[in-house]
Amino acid sequence: MGLSEIKARIIAAAQAAGRDPASVQLIAVSKLQPEAQVRAALTEGQRLFGENYVQEAGAKWPALRAEFPGTQVHMIGPLQSNKARLAFSLFEAIHTLDRPSLADKIAHLAQEMGHCPQLFVQVNTGREPQKAGLLPEDLAPFLARLRAQDLRPEGLMCIPPEGEDSRPHFRALAALARDHGLPGLSMGMSGDFEAAIAEGATYVRVGSALFGARPPKGG
Ligand SMILES: *Cc1c(COP(=O)(O)O)cnc(C)c1O
C-alpha cells in the first residue's frame, strides 16, 4: 500500500471519529526496510519516521536528514540506558520511556545538554510479563517522578497484546492520558491504526502496511 493510500485511510478514520485529520501524525516505521523504500517515502514528502534500533538509525539517518530537510525521526523501540546519549542526538522523540532508571538517565542528559526529545511513557496495558511499559497503577507515581525531574512527557504509548482486539487497550490508554492531562497518544500500527484513531491516537506508527513486510532482523 502506498503512502497516499495510508494517508487517505488516516483522514477517513479521523473524519469518521469527528476529529480533525491534522491532529493525527503518521510515523512511517522504517526499521529494517531497504533504503530505496525509505527514499521513496521521503521523495513523496513523508518527513516523520520511526526506528527501533539506535545503531541502525545512526547508520541511516544523518545522511538522509541532510538530503531531506525537515525530517524527524522518533525512537519507538526499547531504549537501553547506555544508548540514551546517542538517542538524544538521533531522535526528536522517544516513545518508550518505560522505567525509572531510564528517566534518571534522560533527566541527567537533558540537564547537561539543555534540550530533551519529546517523551512518551509506555504503558503495558495488557499486563504482559515479557512486555516493557509501566503497569497502569504505576503510572501516577512515575509521572510524579518525571515532574520532579523537570521532565514533561507529551503523552502515553502502548503496544496491545498480539492476537487480541486492540481497541479496549487504546481506550484504556486514552482514559489514562485524559486522567493525567497528557495530550499525546502514540498508538496504532499497520493492523489497527484506524481503531487507534477512533480512540484518540495523535501518532500512529505504521510500518509493514506502508513499506511491505520487513526482512527479519539480522537477516
Ligand atoms: C515495528 C513497530 C511498529 C510498526 O509495525 P507494523 O505492524 O509493521 O506497522 C509500530 N510500533 C512499534 C513499537 C514497532 O516496534
Side-chain angles (χ1 to χ4, degrees):
M1 206 175 298
L3 182 62
S4 55
E5 197 174 341
I6 297 286
K7 282 185 163 169
R9 285 174 57 186
I10 289 172
I11 290 168
Q15 285 170 342
R19 299 183 54 203
D20 177 2
S23 67
V24 185
Q25 303 294 309
L26 168 63
I27 301 176
V29 178
S30 46
K31 64 175 175 212
L32 305 174
Q33 296 288 354
E35 185 171 314
Q37 300 270 52
V38 180
R39 279 185 172 277
L42 283 159
T43 303
E44 278 187 81
Q46 178 66 22
R47 288 293 180 274
L48 176 56
F49 292 83
E51 291 285 344
N52 282 59
Y53 311 104
V54 171
Q55 199 177 344
E56 182 190 356
K60 190 190 295 180
W61 284 105
L64 286 172
R65 275 179 191 278
E67 205 177 326
F68 296 93
T71 297
Q72 300 212 354
V73 186
H74 288 192
M75 176 58 169
I76 63 168
L79 182 58
Q80 291 170 259
S81 295
N82 64 3
K83 303 239 172 91
R85 180 177 293 274
L86 196 49
F88 262 59
S89 67
L90 286 172
F91 304 114
E92 276 83 8
I94 296 169
H95 288 240
T96 46
L97 175 51
D98 61 354
R99 58 192 192 279
S101 59
L102 182 58
D104 292 350
K105 184 76 191 189
I106 287 173
H108 181 84
L109 288 166
Q111 283 283 332
E112 180 189 320
M113 300 194 190
H115 72 95
C116 187
Q118 210 178 49
L119 299 173
F120 289 81
V121 175
Q122 184 173 356
V123 180
N124 187 355
T125 57
R127 315 183 74 85
E128 295 173 279
Q130 82 289 359
K131 197 165 266 175
L134 280 293
L135 292 174
E137 63 271 24
D138 296 333
L139 183 61
F142 187 71
L143 291 172
R145 183 192 175 98
L146 296 184
R147 269 195 303 280
Q149 291 173 310
D150 256 344
L151 296 177
R152 314 225 170 276
E154 166 75 16
L156 303 178
M157 176 270 209
C158 76
I159 308 172
E162 240 170 89
E164 254 183 52
D165 181 9
S166 298
R167 190 132 176 188
H169 295 275
F170 296 152
R171 191 169 304 152
L173 194 72
L176 283 170
R178 207 162 37 240
D179 289 349
H180 291 288
L182 297 168
L185 280 171
S186 168
M187 58 189 196
M189 305 172 31
S190 287
D192 54 18
F193 67 88
E194 284 144 321
I197 291 167
E199 295 296 342
T202 60
Y203 287 91
V204 293
R205 311 177 307 263
V206 179
S208 46
L210 181 58
F211 293 118
R214 281 179 289 279
K217 183 161 164 60

